[in-house]
Amino acid sequence: MSGFVWNSISFVVAIGLLVTVHEFGHFWVARKNNVLVKRFSIGFGKALFSWRDKQGTEFVIAMIPLGGYVSMLDERIDPILPQHKNLSFNSKTVGQRMAIIAAGPVANFLFAILLLWGMYLIGVPNIKPMIGQVTAESIAAKAGVPANVQITAIDGEAVEDWRAISLLLVEHVGRSAVDITVQQLEGSDQSYQLDLTDWVFDPDTQSIFGSLGLEPLRPQVLNEISHIQAGSAAETAGLQLGDTLLSVDGKLVEDWNSVVTLVQNSPEQQLLFGIERAGRPMDILVTPQSRETADGFHQGYLGVSPKVLPWPEHLLFTQQYGPVQAAWVGVEKTWQLVRLSFSMIGKFIFGDISVKHLSGPISIAQGAGSSADIGLIAFISFLALISVNLGVINLLPLPILDGGHLMYLVLELIRGKPVSEKAQELGFRIGALLLLTLMGIALLNDISRL
């Protein structure tokens, strides 16, 4: 199955599920408050399937799987018979209407907790956050952070894996400093303060650890070829599986990264590879192919992969909990994602993070496809993240979103009367314009990344 098809299927499954959860939140609370729901639609456009329940609600699966909606009886929109007036949305108290509107984002947060509860109940394979190397002259090096130690806390908040560290470090973008606590070889903890004044982090080109000069401890990569891509420069030159790379143009290669650097800097240029094959040294001429990077530069490409040794057993562990503790961990992780999402919105507003890092549907589809390709645990984690993001985005005070409706209801509660229809209509137009602008920027970012 092609990557495009797989990504598309994964995207439709993810978005369809999360939108259903979101709209079900509105639907369930509306029903509990005796509001007639006219239509519950997953997707937009022409209905592919539809049916009605005993309460008169039409359930629809529509052609365009990029959202959904719940349509409720409202006498501001529909002509209503007097005996049905008490079934309309606008006839309910401000508190009831706020509960119905807020139920969508809340459902997304609860669904994230449920997903993470199930994930930690199954068990999450993980790797201890050991620092392998500290880049010279980096922020971490200037702070004195040593290599071959395990990170145990970020600003006093305990961490067990690199993912937790990544989320906490992202929250510090735009701040002046962060404390990193590590466990020394003798077992004692030591904290180091990293000065973030001159920190530059570009998530499109580097990891957040690498931007600080922290290189995670990884399995050993050998200079032995374990895979050759069909039709590649390596296959054309006659390289074989099991060949060990010793030198390039007479220069000894220390590790695989040095080979990669030499090849990338030599597109369409002939290189003399010194190799060892079946215990015998020999030389092979190789001409790396040229391919264009996202920045428009040309790099050499060989088409081989190295042999990687298994992870050291002492670094591997599984995060698995009983039903009660897994639920608590699910709540903690969901709250962390909610906090991070709001923090990131603030960083976009205040310019700490450029809008070029906004992602749209193409990036989400790629994330859905790649996580589904890794396995169930990765896909569940991805769903939880997107579910939280969907809930947070819908709480933004833009009139076209749930947060905008809540804003109007808060104003109604304060003023004692609804906001005028003219003001609401103007707000909806402004909100739609802002939302379309953000979506346009995100889509352009997606296309530029492709």
Side-chain angles (χ1 to χ4, degrees):
M1 187 181 296
S2 72
F4 173 77
V5 174
W6 179 249
N7 289 349
S8 299
I9 292 173
S10 302
F11 174 75
V12 169
V13 170
I15 293 299
L17 182 59
L18 297 179
V19 167
T20 300
V21 168
H22 181 92
E23 298 304 332
F24 181 79
H26 293 309
F27 168 80
W28 188 79
V29 177
R31 279 274 182 92
K32 288 297 180 181
N33 284 277
N34 199 32
V35 174
L36 175 63
V37 178
K38 298 190 300 178
R39 174 178 278 200
F40 186 136
S41 178
I42 301 303
F44 299 107
K46 183 180 178 180
L48 300 177
F49 305 99
S50 66
W51 66 95
R52 289 185 182 274
D53 68 1
K54 295 179 180 179
Q55 284 75 31
T57 300
E58 181 187 18
F59 295 87
V60 174
I61 297 177
M63 182 177 292
I64 306 173
L66 295 176
Y69 62 92
V70 167
S71 176
M72 291 171 268
L73 188 67
D74 193 323
E75 63 180 331
R76 295 170 298 182
I77 303 171
D78 311 293
I80 298 176
L81 296 173
Q83 61 268 32
H84 294 156
K85 186 175 181 178
N86 67 317
L87 298 176
S88 68
F89 173 77
N90 69 293
S91 69
K92 304 305 175 182
T93 66
V94 174
Q96 287 175 310
R97 282 178 280 154
M98 290 179 73
I100 293 169
I101 296 299
V106 169
N108 283 124
F109 299 147
L110 292 176
F111 187 58
I113 292 172
L114 179 64
L115 288 169
L116 294 172
W117 171 78
M119 188 175 80
Y120 285 106
L121 202 61
I122 296 170
V124 181
N126 233 315
I127 302 160
K128 293 179 182 179
M130 292 285 294
I131 300 173
Q133 294 181 354
V134 178
T135 307
E137 301 301 317
S138 65
I139 292 174
K142 291 176 181 177
V145 179
N148 299 312
V149 293
Q150 180 177 334
I151 300 175
T152 57
I154 301 293
D155 268 355
E157 189 166 338
V159 291
E160 292 184 305
D161 56 80
W162 285 111
R163 182 175 182 273
I165 294 169
S166 177
L167 293 176
L168 288 171
L169 288 177
V170 168
E171 285 193 59
H172 284 78
V173 173
R175 299 185 188 177
S176 60
V178 62
D179 287 333
I180 291 183
T181 303
V182 302
Q183 187 178 62
Q184 309 281 7
L185 293 176
E186 65 274 11
S188 62
D189 283 350
Q190 176 69 43
S191 291
Y192 300 87
Q193 186 173 82
L194 276 60
D195 182 2
L196 304 181
T197 307
D198 299 320
W199 183 26
V200 177
F201 169 48
D202 184 355
D204 289 335
T205 60
Q206 60 188 164
S207 71
I208 194 162
F209 317 116
S211 68
L212 294 169
L214 300 171
E215 292 298 329
L217 184 63
R218 295 184 173 93
Q220 185 180 358
V221 179
L222 305 181
N223 288 349
E224 181 182 333
I225 296 175
S226 66
H227 174 75
I228 299 177
Q229 184 178 327
S232 65
E235 185 182 59
T236 303
L239 287 172
Q240 298 179 10
L241 298 181
D243 287 350
T244 299
L245 306 184
L246 304 176
S247 65
V248 178
D249 282 349
K251 299 176 182 177
L252 294 178
V253 291
E254 298 178 357
D255 53 36
W256 189 263
N257 285 335
S258 62
V259 176
V260 172
T261 301
L262 286 167
V263 169
Q264 288 181 342
N265 291 334
S266 308
E268 304 293 349
Q269 297 178 30
Q270 196 174 66
L271 299 173
L272 181 65
F273 274 58
I275 68 169
E276 182 181 290
R277 178 179 295 171
R280 294 187 300 108
M282 59 188 299
D283 294 331
I284 291 184
L285 287 172
V286 182
T287 303
Q289 296 167 331
S290 178
R291 65 178 180 181
E292 190 174 352
T293 67
D295 299 326
F297 297 103
H298 288 271
Q299 286 185 341
Y301 179 68
L302 196 58
V304 295
S305 299
K307 182 178 181 179
V308 182
L309 296 181
W311 282 94
E313 285 295 328
H314 70 279
L315 292 182
L316 302 177
F317 72 104
T318 300
Q319 291 175 293
Q320 187 173 27
Y321 309 101
V324 176
Q325 191 175 1
W328 178 246
V329 172
V331 171
E332 283 187 322
K333 298 293 184 183
T334 299
W335 167 243
Q336 185 182 30
L337 290 174
V338 171
R339 189 180 67 196
L340 176 63
S341 298
F342 278 113
S343 172
M344 293 301 289
I345 291 170
K347 295 181 193 302
F348 278 119
I349 292 173
F350 292 106
D352 293 325
I353 296 179
S354 171
V355 292
K356 73 176 185 178
H357 300 310
L358 281 173
S359 295
I362 296 175
S363 292
I364 295 173
Q366 290 175 328
S370 61
S371 62
D373 204 36
I374 293 170
L376 177 63
I377 295 298
F379 190 59
I380 290 175
S381 179
F382 175 81
L383 283 177
L385 173 64
I386 301 301
S387 188
V388 168
N389 284 339
L390 182 61
V392 168
I393 288 171
N394 268 280
L395 285 176
L396 294 177
L398 295 176
I400 199 170
L401 300 174
D402 293 336
H405 290 287
L406 289 171
M407 179 180 66
Y408 284 142
L409 290 173
V410 169
L411 290 173
E412 181 178 341
L413 198 62
I414 294 171
R415 297 171 71 240
K417 60 179 181 180
V419 176
S420 69
E421 290 187 13
K422 186 176 180 180
Q424 289 190 46
E425 184 180 352
L426 178 62
F428 284 128
R429 290 182 179 180
I430 295 173
L433 180 62
L434 288 172
L435 193 61
L436 287 172
T437 300
L438 288 173
M439 289 175 64
I441 292 171
L443 189 58
L444 286 174
N445 289 342
D446 283 352
I447 294 171
S448 69
R449 292 188 189 105
L450 287 177

PDB file of all heavy atoms in Angstrom, residues 82-95:
ATOM      1  N   PRO A  82     -45.581  26.042  19.160  1.00  0.00           N
ATOM      2  CA  PRO A  82     -45.544  26.429  20.582  1.00  0.00           C
ATOM      3  C   PRO A  82     -45.274  25.253  21.519  1.00  0.00           C
ATOM      4  O   PRO A  82     -44.560  25.397  22.513  1.00  0.00           O
ATOM      5  CB  PRO A  82     -46.940  27.022  20.815  1.00  0.00           C
ATOM      6  CG  PRO A  82     -47.355  27.516  19.465  1.00  0.00           C
ATOM      7  CD  PRO A  82     -46.781  26.553  18.479  1.00  0.00           C
ATOM      8  N   GLN A  83     -45.827  24.074  21.209  1.00  0.00           N
ATOM      9  CA  GLN A  83     -45.653  22.919  22.094  1.00  0.00           C
ATOM     10  C   GLN A  83     -44.233  22.350  22.061  1.00  0.00           C
ATOM     11  O   GLN A  83     -43.849  21.528  22.900  1.00  0.00           O
ATOM     12  CB  GLN A  83     -46.660  21.809  21.755  1.00  0.00           C
ATOM     13  CG  GLN A  83     -46.550  21.231  20.355  1.00  0.00           C
ATOM     14  CD  GLN A  83     -47.455  21.939  19.361  1.00  0.00           C
ATOM     15  OE1 GLN A  83     -47.717  23.144  19.480  1.00  0.00           O
ATOM     16  NE2 GLN A  83     -47.972  21.179  18.390  1.00  0.00           N
ATOM     17  N   HIS A  84     -43.416  22.788  21.059  1.00  0.00           N
ATOM     18  CA  HIS A  84     -42.039  22.304  20.951  1.00  0.00           C
ATOM     19  C   HIS A  84     -41.013  23.329  21.426  1.00  0.00           C
ATOM     20  O   HIS A  84     -39.807  23.074  21.358  1.00  0.00           O
ATOM     21  CB  HIS A  84     -41.727  21.919  19.498  1.00  0.00           C
ATOM     22  CG  HIS A  84     -42.502  20.745  19.014  1.00  0.00           C
ATOM     23  ND1 HIS A  84     -42.761  20.511  17.676  1.00  0.00           N
ATOM     24  CD2 HIS A  84     -43.123  19.738  19.706  1.00  0.00           C
ATOM     25  CE1 HIS A  84     -43.478  19.413  17.552  1.00  0.00           C
ATOM     26  NE2 HIS A  84     -43.714  18.924  18.767  1.00  0.00           N
ATOM     27  N   LYS A  85     -41.513  24.476  21.890  1.00  0.00           N
ATOM     28  CA  LYS A  85     -40.594  25.545  22.257  1.00  0.00           C
ATOM     29  C   LYS A  85     -39.620  25.125  23.349  1.00  0.00           C
ATOM     30  O   LYS A  85     -38.448  25.506  23.339  1.00  0.00           O
ATOM     31  CB  LYS A  85     -41.376  26.779  22.704  1.00  0.00           C
ATOM     32  CG  LYS A  85     -40.493  27.987  22.976  1.00  0.00           C
ATOM     33  CD  LYS A  85     -41.319  29.219  23.285  1.00  0.00           C
ATOM     34  CE  LYS A  85     -40.414  30.432  23.527  1.00  0.00           C
ATOM     35  NZ  LYS A  85     -41.181  31.661  23.796  1.00  0.00           N
ATOM     36  N   ASN A  86     -40.093  24.304  24.280  1.00  0.00           N
ATOM     37  CA  ASN A  86     -39.222  23.891  25.389  1.00  0.00           C
ATOM     38  C   ASN A  86     -38.133  22.907  24.946  1.00  0.00           C
ATOM     39  O   ASN A  86     -37.228  22.585  25.716  1.00  0.00           O
ATOM     40  CB  ASN A  86     -40.062  23.256  26.505  1.00  0.00           C
ATOM     41  CG  ASN A  86     -40.679  21.937  26.070  1.00  0.00           C
ATOM     42  OD1 ASN A  86     -41.179  21.813  24.954  1.00  0.00           O
ATOM     43  ND2 ASN A  86     -40.671  20.956  26.950  1.00  0.00           N
ATOM     44  N   LEU A  87     -38.200  22.448  23.662  1.00  0.00           N
ATOM     45  CA  LEU A  87     -37.180  21.550  23.133  1.00  0.00           C
ATOM     46  C   LEU A  87     -36.068  22.296  22.399  1.00  0.00           C
ATOM     47  O   LEU A  87     -35.119  21.676  21.935  1.00  0.00           O
ATOM     48  CB  LEU A  87     -37.812  20.530  22.169  1.00  0.00           C
ATOM     49  CG  LEU A  87     -38.870  19.582  22.743  1.00  0.00           C
ATOM     50  CD1 LEU A  87     -39.452  18.713  21.635  1.00  0.00           C
ATOM     51  CD2 LEU A  87     -38.275  18.720  23.854  1.00  0.00           C
ATOM     52  N   SER A  88     -36.202  23.620  22.295  1.00  0.00           N
ATOM     53  CA  SER A  88     -35.218  24.401  21.529  1.00  0.00           C
ATOM     54  C   SER A  88     -33.999  24.748  22.380  1.00  0.00           C
ATOM     55  O   SER A  88     -34.084  24.898  23.597  1.00  0.00           O
ATOM     56  CB  SER A  88     -35.854  25.671  20.984  1.00  0.00           C
ATOM     57  OG  SER A  88     -36.174  26.545  22.036  1.00  0.00           O
ATOM     58  N   PHE A  89     -32.865  24.907  21.709  1.00  0.00           N
ATOM     59  CA  PHE A  89     -31.610  25.252  22.377  1.00  0.00           C
ATOM     60  C   PHE A  89     -31.714  26.616  23.060  1.00  0.00           C
ATOM     61  O   PHE A  89     -31.285  26.783  24.208  1.00  0.00           O
ATOM     62  CB  PHE A  89     -30.468  25.251  21.344  1.00  0.00           C
ATOM     63  CG  PHE A  89     -29.154  25.743  21.877  1.00  0.00           C
ATOM     64  CD1 PHE A  89     -28.351  24.941  22.673  1.00  0.00           C
ATOM     65  CD2 PHE A  89     -28.709  27.030  21.584  1.00  0.00           C
ATOM     66  CE1 PHE A  89     -27.135  25.390  23.157  1.00  0.00           C
ATOM     67  CE2 PHE A  89     -27.491  27.495  22.071  1.00  0.00           C
ATOM     68  CZ  PHE A  89     -26.700  26.668  22.862  1.00  0.00           C
ATOM     69  N   ASN A  90     -32.274  27.601  22.363  1.00  0.00           N
ATOM     70  CA  ASN A  90     -32.294  28.961  22.902  1.00  0.00           C
ATOM     71  C   ASN A  90     -33.258  29.126  24.071  1.00  0.00           C
ATOM     72  O   ASN A  90     -33.226  30.147  24.768  1.00  0.00           O
ATOM     73  CB  ASN A  90     -32.628  29.972  21.804  1.00  0.00           C
ATOM     74  CG  ASN A  90     -34.061  29.847  21.331  1.00  0.00           C
ATOM     75  OD1 ASN A  90     -34.431  28.834  20.729  1.00  0.00           O
ATOM     76  ND2 ASN A  90     -34.883  30.853  21.611  1.00  0.00           N
ATOM     77  N   SER A  91     -34.131  28.131  24.324  1.00  0.00           N
ATOM     78  CA  SER A  91     -35.070  28.236  25.448  1.00  0.00           C
ATOM     79  C   SER A  91     -34.421  27.829  26.774  1.00  0.00           C
ATOM     80  O   SER A  91     -35.004  28.026  27.843  1.00  0.00           O
ATOM     81  CB  SER A  91     -36.302  27.357  25.193  1.00  0.00           C
ATOM     82  OG  SER A  91     -35.959  25.966  25.255  1.00  0.00           O
ATOM     83  N   LYS A  92     -33.201  27.270  26.705  1.00  0.00           N
ATOM     84  CA  LYS A  92     -32.543  26.785  27.912  1.00  0.00           C
ATOM     85  C   LYS A  92     -31.807  27.929  28.620  1.00  0.00           C
ATOM     86  O   LYS A  92     -31.540  28.981  28.044  1.00  0.00           O
ATOM     87  CB  LYS A  92     -31.550  25.666  27.563  1.00  0.00           C
ATOM     88  CG  LYS A  92     -32.190  24.501  26.813  1.00  0.00           C
ATOM     89  CD  LYS A  92     -33.373  23.925  27.568  1.00  0.00           C
ATOM     90  CE  LYS A  92     -34.095  22.850  26.768  1.00  0.00           C
ATOM     91  NZ  LYS A  92     -35.288  22.311  27.474  1.00  0.00           N
ATOM     92  N   THR A  93     -31.483  27.691  29.881  1.00  0.00           N
ATOM     93  CA  THR A  93     -30.776  28.710  30.660  1.00  0.00           C
ATOM     94  C   THR A  93     -29.361  28.893  30.103  1.00  0.00           C
ATOM     95  O   THR A  93     -28.839  28.049  29.358  1.00  0.00           O
ATOM     96  CB  THR A  93     -30.676  28.295  32.133  1.00  0.00           C
ATOM     97  OG1 THR A  93     -29.850  27.129  32.239  1.00  0.00           O
ATOM     98  CG2 THR A  93     -32.058  28.001  32.709  1.00  0.00           C
ATOM     99  N   VAL A  94     -28.716  29.989  30.504  1.00  0.00           N
ATOM    100  CA  VAL A  94     -27.353  30.242  30.053  1.00  0.00           C
ATOM    101  C   VAL A  94     -26.437  29.099  30.501  1.00  0.00           C
ATOM    102  O   VAL A  94     -25.579  28.630  29.738  1.00  0.00           O
ATOM    103  CB  VAL A  94     -26.834  31.583  30.604  1.00  0.00           C
ATOM    104  CG1 VAL A  94     -25.353  31.769  30.256  1.00  0.00           C
ATOM    105  CG2 VAL A  94     -27.646  32.739  30.043  1.00  0.00           C
ATOM    106  N   GLY A  95     -26.625  28.635  31.719  1.00  0.00           N
ATOM    107  CA  GLY A  95     -25.803  27.543  32.234  1.00  0.00           C
ATOM    108  C   GLY A  95     -25.964  26.274  31.420  1.00  0.00           C
ATOM    109  O   GLY A  95     -24.974  25.580  31.129  1.00  0.00           O
TER     110      GLY A  95
END
